[in-house]
Amino acid sequence: MFHHVKDSIEAHLTIVFTALAVSREVQARTGHAIRHVIRKLRPLRSATIAINGARQTFPPAIGSDQSDILDKILARNR
């Protein structure tokens, strides 16, 4: 039984440290606090609607501030 608990704890810590590493990298690339980045990017949503077998996907409207943040995050070279 205890090996399941240990595995769960190790898995949780792996996820937590990965999230920390990703957030630090986002902060380094954008120059903004992770809180700012999340607030700016949270409104971005897309939608897919299916009516009578036809599917239509609507991409989010990305503003210039959001585009700048996304460009910095996705930049290949820093």
Side-chain angles (χ1 to χ4, degrees), residues 1 16 22 28 33 38 48 58 64-65 68 77:
M1 175 184 162
V16 168
V22 169
I38 290 170
T48 301
F58 300 93
S64 62
D65 289 346
D68 183 48
N77 300 322

Side-chain angles (χ1 to χ4, degrees), residues 3-78:
H3 65 85
H4 294 295
V5 174
K6 182 181 179 201
D7 290 345
S8 297
I9 292 170
E10 288 176 355
H12 176 75
L13 289 174
T14 300
I15 291 169
V16 168
F17 280 110
T18 303
L20 178 62
V22 169
S23 67
R24 295 284 173 117
E25 184 65 20
V26 167
Q27 289 180 140
R29 288 185 182 208
T30 63
H32 295 292
I34 194 68
R35 183 179 198 170
H36 175 79
V37 173
I38 290 170
R39 283 185 179 167
K40 286 290 187 180
L41 299 183
R42 181 176 286 146
L44 298 181
R45 301 277 194 272
S46 63
T48 301
I49 299 173
I51 300 175
N52 295 330
R55 293 174 59 104
Q56 180 70 39
T57 300
F58 300 93
I62 300 175
S64 62
D65 289 346
Q66 295 163 329
S67 179
D68 183 48
I69 290 171
L70 291 171
D71 289 343
K72 288 177 180 176
I73 291 172
L74 299 174
R76 298 280 183 222
N77 300 322
R78 296 192 313 150

